[in-house]
Amino acid sequence: MEGPPGMEAEGPRPFSEEQFRAACRELDQPAPGAEGPWQLLVETMGVRIYRLYHEQSGLYEYKIFGGLADCPPKLCADVYMDLDFRKEWDQYVKELCEKTYDGEKVIYWEVKYPFPLSNRDYVYVRERREMDVDGRKIWVVLAQSVSVPQCPEKPGIIRVKSYKQSVAIESDGKAGSKVYMYYFDNPGGMIPSWLVNWAAKSGVPAFLKDIQKACLNYSKRT
């Protein structure tokens, strides 16, 4: 797995085939060992969260392994990609939309932070692929921050200039999904340690539960 990204990429760019295949391989990886660099942060609600600390930046990368019962993988991928629907079920979304600059699609995302912290916003590209790995269907979504001159920083909002996420979803052999997620961002500014710990230990499992509920509601509305 490559390390966390540095600054945002200059302009939209496609993801490589190897990046998609690397995400698929994570579904088959054994749990990171206790003696390795990845440390188990929490195991709760059927979700295991690991983190890797980087001395230079003082930031963490995260790997999340879990499952979504009664949510087929294609449905999960559809819900994850539907920006308009996310505004209905994700309480932390302030603004979320797709914009087109010079023929390239990018996503603008503003996230609500608790008072008195400033909100954060992201400008990123993403790509979804349905992979065939030895007869297994795996849905993969990759996302990474980009620098787009037409989407400048806004007063009072801190731009997250280093963001990267990978999601791989496949059937759990029943009616649900097996999920892997990699996540890294540099939120900038001074973030209290309690908020970092809450986001990792409680926010991520709650987010997966919210996706699970959203999948059930999504299937009813289509």
Side-chain angles (χ1 to χ4, degrees):
M1 186 74 191
E2 59 188 294
M7 295 295 285
E8 55 199 340
E10 290 296 329
R13 62 181 61 183
F15 299 95
S16 70
E17 178 74 13
E18 173 53 29
Q19 286 175 289
F20 282 94
R21 297 207 169 274
C24 292
R25 288 194 295 270
E26 290 286 351
L27 287 169
D28 296 325
Q29 297 287 347
E35 302 303 319
W38 288 89
Q39 297 181 331
L40 178 63
L41 177 64
V42 67
E43 185 167 1
T44 179
M45 295 164 28
V47 178
R48 287 174 291 119
I49 303 173
Y50 296 85
R51 68 181 183 180
L52 177 64
Y53 181 71
H54 286 266
E55 294 278 354
Q56 290 184 334
S57 66
L59 300 169
Y60 289 96
E61 297 173 74
Y62 295 92
K63 286 184 178 182
I64 300 102
F65 300 86
L68 297 173
D70 301 316
C71 299
K74 183 180 183 302
L75 176 61
C76 289
D78 287 345
V79 168
Y80 188 76
M81 293 292 288
D82 192 324
L83 301 181
D84 287 333
F85 185 51
R86 181 163 179 171
K87 287 183 278 189
E88 296 180 23
W89 61 266
D90 187 345
Q91 62 180 315
Y92 298 105
V93 170
K94 173 71 173 178
E95 185 178 348
L96 182 61
C97 59
E98 189 173 72
K99 299 174 182 284
T100 302
Y101 299 114
D102 298 328
E104 298 282 357
K105 291 182 179 179
V106 301
I107 307 231
Y108 176 80
W109 177 31
E110 182 184 342
V111 179
K112 298 175 187 175
Y113 267 55
F115 179 84
L117 301 176
S118 300
N119 286 357
R120 265 57 177 177
D121 67 1
Y122 301 71
V123 178
Y124 66 96
V125 290
R126 66 176 181 173
E127 185 178 343
R128 165 182 165 171
R129 289 189 193 176
E130 182 180 329
M131 308 289 289
D132 187 318
V133 180
D134 298 325
R136 295 158 55 196
K137 279 189 176 182
I138 302 176
W139 283 259
V140 177
V141 181
L142 302 181
Q144 182 171 323
S145 53
V146 290
S147 175
V148 179
Q150 300 96 320
C151 194
E153 297 181 32
K154 298 180 179 180
I157 302 174
I158 296 177
R159 174 67 48 87
V160 176
K161 297 179 180 179
S162 186
Y163 161 70
K164 187 176 182 181
Q165 188 169 29
S166 307
V167 178
I169 312 166
E170 73 170 335
S171 171
D172 63 2
K174 302 174 184 177
S177 297
K178 182 179 176 183
V179 179
Y180 159 76
M181 180 184 293
Y182 166 87
Y183 186 90
F184 173 84
D185 77 4
N186 182 351
M190 297 297 293
I191 305 296
S193 58
W194 67 262
L195 181 57
V196 174
N197 289 330
W198 174 87
K201 291 185 176 181
S202 302
V204 171
F207 176 75
L208 290 176
K209 284 296 180 183
D210 287 342
I211 287 184
Q212 188 174 33
K213 292 177 186 176
C215 285
L216 298 176
N217 291 330
Y218 198 75
S219 58
K220 293 175 183 176
R221 71 201 283 272
T222 55

